[in-house]
Amino acid sequence: FSHEAAVELARRHPPADVLFVRHVLEHVPDPADFLRGLRVMLAPGGVALIEVPDATNVVVDMLGHELWDEHLGYYTERTLRLMLVRCGFDVLELSTEPHRGGRNLLCWVRAAENESRIDYAAGKERDLAACRCFGPAWAEFRARLRGRAAAWPKPVVAMGASHPQLNFVWYAGIEDSIHKMVDDDEEKVGKFLQLAEPAGIVSTSGLLAGDAPGTLLLTAFGCDSWTERVVRAMEDKGVLVVDPYALMRR
């Protein structure tokens, strides 16, 4: 989708009163061209909802598992607003909402009738400083976690077998410490994930019915009720329960 594609679509289809653009913009190689295309597709007075991950949540709160290899761009409240205004939109409302242990930016916009004035410099140094600090801080956390992982009772089971969990395991440098991952997706159970050694995926019922692991790693980010249920069962069996991000906060 691009401005050129939008012009062609507008010849064949009526404009939209509402456009929902959820978790798309961070995947787009040319976001300015993409947004100009959205503007073409909106009817007069029409609105669009833009939703993206909150980059401030990633770099300030150190949620490294939210860095996805398929995300080509990340936005703070400031940079999202700048991008939208530069591409001819009025920002009607911009809010931050929790999502699975992280946060998303939700922004309602409409096509601007006049060029908006915005302070491009405000908040720039704050965003840059947060990005500069992330790398060294994550490296320190990685070193501390790897040091602890060497002493974890084996086998080590991580909760969840999806993209965020793989991100965390690899970025934290503990891919050689994980023996199994637990996930209730029927398409995943019985398969293996490519870590330092192939890690088998088991269901919650399979985990609870089998031999107790030595360590349970709390990586089911944002899935609190599931985590609490599994933790209660594992603690009753004397399993070491590790919240990796708690180590960062100490």
Side-chain angles (χ1 to χ4, degrees):
F1 183 80
S2 63
H3 180 267
E4 182 180 359
V7 170
E8 178 58 31
L9 286 169
R11 291 195 186 102
R12 294 184 279 121
H13 301 281
D17 293 318
V18 183
L19 290 172
F20 292 97
V21 190
R22 301 185 63 245
H23 295 276
V24 176
L25 193 60
E26 65 269 27
H27 297 268
V28 174
D30 189 342
D33 185 51
F34 178 89
L35 289 170
R36 285 192 290 268
L38 288 186
R39 196 175 186 279
V40 169
M41 298 300 297
L42 275 178
V47 294
L49 174 67
I50 313 290
E51 182 176 356
V52 296
D54 183 0
T56 301
N57 186 216
V58 178
V59 296
V60 174
D61 298 334
M62 297 291 292
L63 297 186
H65 67 276
E66 291 287 357
L67 291 172
W68 290 41
D69 55 307
E70 58 203 39
H71 287 178
L72 304 181
Y74 279 89
Y75 300 88
T76 65
E77 289 188 41
R78 183 188 74 88
T79 58
L80 180 60
R81 187 183 296 272
L82 286 176
M83 175 67 75
L84 292 166
V85 169
R86 283 176 168 175
C87 293
F89 289 97
D90 282 333
V91 175
L92 305 176
E93 180 181 343
L94 202 166
S95 62
T96 305
E97 300 294 338
H99 178 72
R100 293 204 172 190
R103 295 197 303 268
N104 290 335
L105 298 174
L106 278 71
C107 189
W108 286 99
V109 299
R110 67 184 172 198
E113 295 181 3
N114 301 300
E115 185 176 352
S116 300
R117 294 182 177 275
I118 190 167
D119 185 352
Y120 292 106
K124 176 181 177 181
E125 287 306 316
R126 180 196 60 216
D127 285 348
L128 291 175
C131 292
R132 291 189 189 105
C133 291
F134 177 82
W138 185 265
E140 180 183 354
F141 166 66
R142 174 186 169 105
R144 292 172 65 194
L145 188 63
R146 282 179 59 84
R148 296 291 183 90
W152 289 341
K154 297 177 176 55
V156 177
V157 174
M159 292 191 66
S162 296
H163 210 145
Q165 287 76 35
L166 286 175
N167 286 348
F168 181 83
V169 166
W170 281 107
Y171 298 161
I174 56 172
E175 67 279 359
D176 54 353
S177 299
I178 307 301
H179 302 91
K180 290 183 180 180
M181 303 186 88
V182 55
D183 199 298
D184 287 335
D185 185 338
E186 294 180 357
E187 295 295 322
K188 298 177 183 177
V189 173
K191 296 183 171 64
F192 292 83
L193 289 168
Q194 187 178 10
L195 299 178
E197 296 292 336
I201 302 173
V202 299
S203 64
T204 302
S205 59
L207 175 69
L208 300 183
D211 294 336
T215 302
L216 179 71
L217 198 60
L218 304 186
T219 46
F221 308 113
C223 300
D224 296 338
S225 59
W226 178 44
T227 295
E228 290 170 3
R229 179 164 61 93
V230 175
V231 166
R232 285 196 299 269
M234 293 294 101
E235 287 180 335
D236 289 343
K237 296 182 179 183
V239 174
L240 174 66
V241 176
V242 175
D243 179 353
Y245 277 135
L247 180 63
M248 182 186 297
R249 295 188 286 269
R250 290 174 188 166

